[in-house]
Structures are given as C-alpha cells and as structure tokens.
Amino acid sequence: MNIFKRTWCRVFQAGLYVGMAFMPWREPKLLQGANSFANAVDFMQQNGAKRPLIVCDKPALERGALQPFFQKAQGVLEYAVYDGVKPNPTVNQVEEGLAIYLANNCDSILAFGGGS
C-alpha cells in the first residue's frame, strides 16, 4: 500500500475515533434472573417498543424457553421471530435478520441467548 493511501486511512480512522465521543450511544439493557423473559414485555412497553424482532436460536424455541415472553406479549406486542442464529453469526445470518426486521416494520430488537 502506498504511503499516501496508508496515511489517509490512519487520518480517517483517527477522525472517526474522535467523532465517536460525540455520538449518542445507548447502553444495551441486560435483563436476567427470575421472570426475566416475562419482564422483558414490560420493559419494552416502558420504552415505547411495539413491534420487536425477537432474535434467538432454534433450540431455545423448541425447548419452550421463550414461552413466558410469548404468553405475556400476546395481544400487547406485534413481534416477529428470527431463529436462525448460530454461534458466531455469519454475515448472511445478519442479513436474514435484517430482512425480517424490515419486512415486519420492526422498531426494536430483543435478543435471547449468547449467540444473539
């Protein structure tokens, strides 16, 4: 790589690094413990979410781990589910999730599990 291109890249990266300090980042909220799945519905309502995308893996759905959330969300939230997440998600998996998010006019994301 020539010296001018390398220098430009480093200057650009430094500018982005400084600019990040002024961007409005939001800290993700971690819900854990007893009834955390069901409490997620209340949390989402308090924060104005109406159409979340639920991101999880197939085994979580199959074993019924999300049933407390689905039961409490019924009639309250219009949610879509993306259950194609695997450990170390690929770009294709992210794009599949984005397509579902856009197709269902989602306004938030709720991720269950570590791979989400």
Side-chain angles (χ1 to χ4, degrees):
M1 182 182 301
N2 78 34
I3 189 75
F4 296 112
K5 187 173 182 180
R6 184 180 302 171
T7 302
W8 165 247
C9 288
R10 295 294 179 228
V11 168
F12 185 78
Q13 288 172 339
L16 287 177
Y17 182 75
V18 170
M20 284 177 23
F22 300 100
M23 296 180 91
W25 300 102
R26 288 188 289 167
E27 186 89 17
K29 176 71 174 167
L30 176 64
L31 301 177
Q32 58 186 4
N35 299 320
S36 58
F37 288 152
N39 294 339
V41 175
D42 297 330
F43 177 79
M44 296 192 87
Q45 284 185 294
Q46 292 168 1
N47 288 284
K50 293 178 177 55
R51 301 178 71 105
L53 173 64
I54 311 306
V55 179
C56 61
D57 59 4
K58 285 190 192 319
L61 285 179
E62 291 169 354
R63 71 176 177 269
L66 301 167
Q67 282 309 316
F69 174 84
F70 294 140
Q71 288 170 349
K72 191 165 184 181
Q74 194 168 24
V76 178
L77 299 173
E78 296 179 39
Y79 56 86
V81 177
Y82 174 61
D83 63 358
V85 175
K86 295 186 173 39
N88 300 318
T90 64
V91 172
N92 287 338
Q93 290 169 349
V94 174
E95 289 175 350
E96 287 171 4
L98 175 62
I100 293 170
Y101 183 92
L102 295 174
N104 291 282
N105 296 315
C106 293
D107 60 7
S108 54
I109 297 174
L110 183 60
F112 287 101
S116 304

